[in-house]
């Protein structure tokens, strides 16, 4: 009797799952595609793996494979990160065939591609067939990476490029020449992991700044930061790594379009930002963040004066790292902007 009951339960379970699978098969392709998008990793650039979507979905059944392979937007993000052995000629040629098959499935839609650059000339050959599709490109260059100029020199040939991330231990005028010739489609530039920029280095990109709305950068001096703001009239989001060591008096500057401003201060004294706060007015600011590694009191008087002078409708004030704010200070900010949310984060992931 017990065996009969177990058999009936197994039959019921099989019937239920067959019905479920049958229902999934009957879903329109558009619905399945949307479901498959929800299965993708949240990473901006996907590292191919047979254990995660979209590749995993191609192994479930033939109908699913047809939908996955036939949905270009599942294949428009790629992180090219071969293992050390893949740079041997035979293995790299095999890897290139795989990467091409991935990118071809995107069928002409905009691509987001990341390279960890060890052998730039080989990666350049992979990049060239897709120059008209690439809208987002991230390049991390390592010491001994062959000749990184080979990869960077094709940047002016990317007519659809909107976002560029370059991370490198050194940055030469020759490397910057390619970035200075970027197309007017560019909107976002992340050079926060390059050596610090001064006014002279900012001049390397003079023809690029005017189009940008989002910048992440390491600035060596407050004068250079104010100069950057003058070069970027359309800027709406700015993340600045700073290592200032003085609080000199600066010429006042108003920037009408910045909505989000983040400072990641690497110097020991938070007071070095005083001169900058005293000079700036940002009437459209909505999000203001300060991260500081060393233990310091929040620069309350100058920051409160900065916000009052800007007359902005600040929505979020974010304090990260080891900066301290008192309850009385918090109340004064709320009085200045009643809808303000203040977040105190006792960590500093950007300094790791």
């Amino acid at each position: 009797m017990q065996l009969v009951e177990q058999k009936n339960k197994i039959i019921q379970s099989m019937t239920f799952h067959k019905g479920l699978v049958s229902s999934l098969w009957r879903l329109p392709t558009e619905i399945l595609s949307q479901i498959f998008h929800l299965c993708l990793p949240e990473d901006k650039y996907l590292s191919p793996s047979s254990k995660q979507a979209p590749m995993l979905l191609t192994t479930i059944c033939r109908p699913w494979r047809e939908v996955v392979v036939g949905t270009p937007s599942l294949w428009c993000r790629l992180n090219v990160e071969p293992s050390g052995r893949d740079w041997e000629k035979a293995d790299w040629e095999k890897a290139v065939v795989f990467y091409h098959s991935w990118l071809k499935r995107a069928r002409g839609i905009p691509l987001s591609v990341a390279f960890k650059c060890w052998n730039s000339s080989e990666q350049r050959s992979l990049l060239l067939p897709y120059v008209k599709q690439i809208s987002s490109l991230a390049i991390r260059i390592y010491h001994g990476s062959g000749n990184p100029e080979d990869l960077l020199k094709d940047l002016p040939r990317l007519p659809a490029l909107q976002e560029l991330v370059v991370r490198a231990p050194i940055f030469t005028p020759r490397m910057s020449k390619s970035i200075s010739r970027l197309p007017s489609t560019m909107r976002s530039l992340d050079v926060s992991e390059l050596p610090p920029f001064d006014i002279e280095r900012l001049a390397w990109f003079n023809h690029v700044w005017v189009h940008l709305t989002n910048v992440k950068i390491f600035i060596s001096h407050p004068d250079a930061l104010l100069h950057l703001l003058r070069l970027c009239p359309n800027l709406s989001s700015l993340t600045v790594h700073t290592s200032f060591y003085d609080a000199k008096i600066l010429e006042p500057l108003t920037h009408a379009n910045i909505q989000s401003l983040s400072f990641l201060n690497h110097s020991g004294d938070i007071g070095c930002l005083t001169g900058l706060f005293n000079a700036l007015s940002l009437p459209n600011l909505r999000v203001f963040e300060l991260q500081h590694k060393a233990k310091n009191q929040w620069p309350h008087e100058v920051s409160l004066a900065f916000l009052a002078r800007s007359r902005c409708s600040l929505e979020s004030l974010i304090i990260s790292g080891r900066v301290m704010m008192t309850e009385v200070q918090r109340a004064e900010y709320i009085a200045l902007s009643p809808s303000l949310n203040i977040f105190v984060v006792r960590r500093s992931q950007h300094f790791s």
Side-chain angles (χ1 to χ4, degrees), residues 77-340:
R77 296 182 284 156
L78 177 63
N79 181 26
V80 179
E81 187 181 0
S83 65
R85 187 171 175 272
D86 286 339
W87 291 117
E88 297 175 11
K89 184 171 182 179
D91 294 299
W92 171 245
E93 290 175 353
K94 181 189 291 186
V96 166
V97 171
F98 171 79
Y99 291 132
H100 278 309
S101 69
W102 178 292
L103 293 172
K104 285 177 182 177
R105 290 174 180 175
R107 297 182 184 176
I109 70 172
L111 295 173
S112 296
V113 183
F115 288 99
K116 291 194 175 180
C117 180
W118 284 285
N119 190 327
S120 53
S121 60
E122 298 286 0
Q123 289 173 319
R124 178 172 177 261
S125 66
L126 174 60
L127 179 71
L128 288 178
Y130 308 99
V131 291
K132 294 183 178 180
Q133 290 176 247
I134 295 176
S135 64
S136 177
L137 179 64
I139 304 171
R140 179 177 286 277
I141 298 168
Y142 294 87
H143 282 293
S145 301
N147 188 359
E149 285 92 346
D150 285 344
L151 192 55
L152 292 174
K153 72 182 181 182
D154 287 309
L155 294 179
R157 299 173 57 186
L158 305 179
L161 191 65
Q162 297 182 24
E163 178 182 26
L164 176 66
V165 180
V166 180
R167 297 184 171 97
I170 59 170
F171 202 67
T172 65
R174 185 179 172 190
M175 293 165 69
S176 71
K177 185 176 180 180
S178 297
I179 295 180
S180 69
R181 295 165 56 204
L182 285 168
S184 59
T185 55
M186 274 288 297
R187 294 296 178 267
S188 179
L189 178 64
D190 183 349
V191 287
S192 59
E193 293 188 36
L194 295 184
F197 280 71
D198 54 19
I199 290 178
E200 181 180 355
R201 285 194 173 188
L202 289 174
W204 291 353
F205 300 165
N206 268 351
H207 298 294
V208 177
W209 301 120
V210 68
H211 304 292
L212 299 179
T213 59
N214 179 34
V215 170
K216 297 181 179 181
I217 192 168
F218 198 151
I219 292 287
S220 62
H221 195 274
D223 283 332
L225 179 53
L226 294 183
H227 186 64
L228 172 67
L229 294 177
R230 296 185 187 99
L231 294 172
C232 300
N234 298 306
L235 200 62
S236 63
S237 177
L238 175 62
T239 298
V240 187
H241 292 253
T242 63
S243 58
F244 306 158
Y245 288 95
D246 62 63
K248 62 180 288 188
I249 297 175
L250 302 167
E251 288 293 323
L253 175 69
T254 297
H255 195 292
N257 292 318
I258 289 184
Q259 298 182 35
S260 176
L261 176 64
S262 297
F263 282 105
L264 284 68
N265 186 35
H266 295 258
S267 62
D269 182 11
I270 204 168
C272 63
L273 297 175
T274 299
L276 194 59
F277 286 160
N278 286 335
L280 274 180
S281 294
L282 305 176
N284 205 28
L285 189 64
R286 298 293 180 269
V287 178
F288 180 40
E289 178 180 11
L290 176 62
Q291 297 194 33
H292 189 69
K293 187 174 184 179
K295 188 174 182 180
N296 274 268
Q297 291 296 319
W298 172 253
H300 176 63
E301 297 299 331
V302 292
S303 60
L304 190 66
F306 155 61
L307 295 174
R309 182 175 61 254
S310 295
R311 296 182 181 179
C312 58
S313 300
L314 195 67
E315 298 170 358
S316 298
L317 176 61
I318 306 166
I319 304 168
S320 302
R322 303 181 66 191
V323 181
M324 310 297 292
M325 173 185 280
T326 68
E327 289 301 319
V328 173
Q329 291 172 346
R330 180 189 292 261
E332 290 190 47
Y333 286 104
I334 299 297
L336 186 65
S337 182
S339 61
L340 178 64

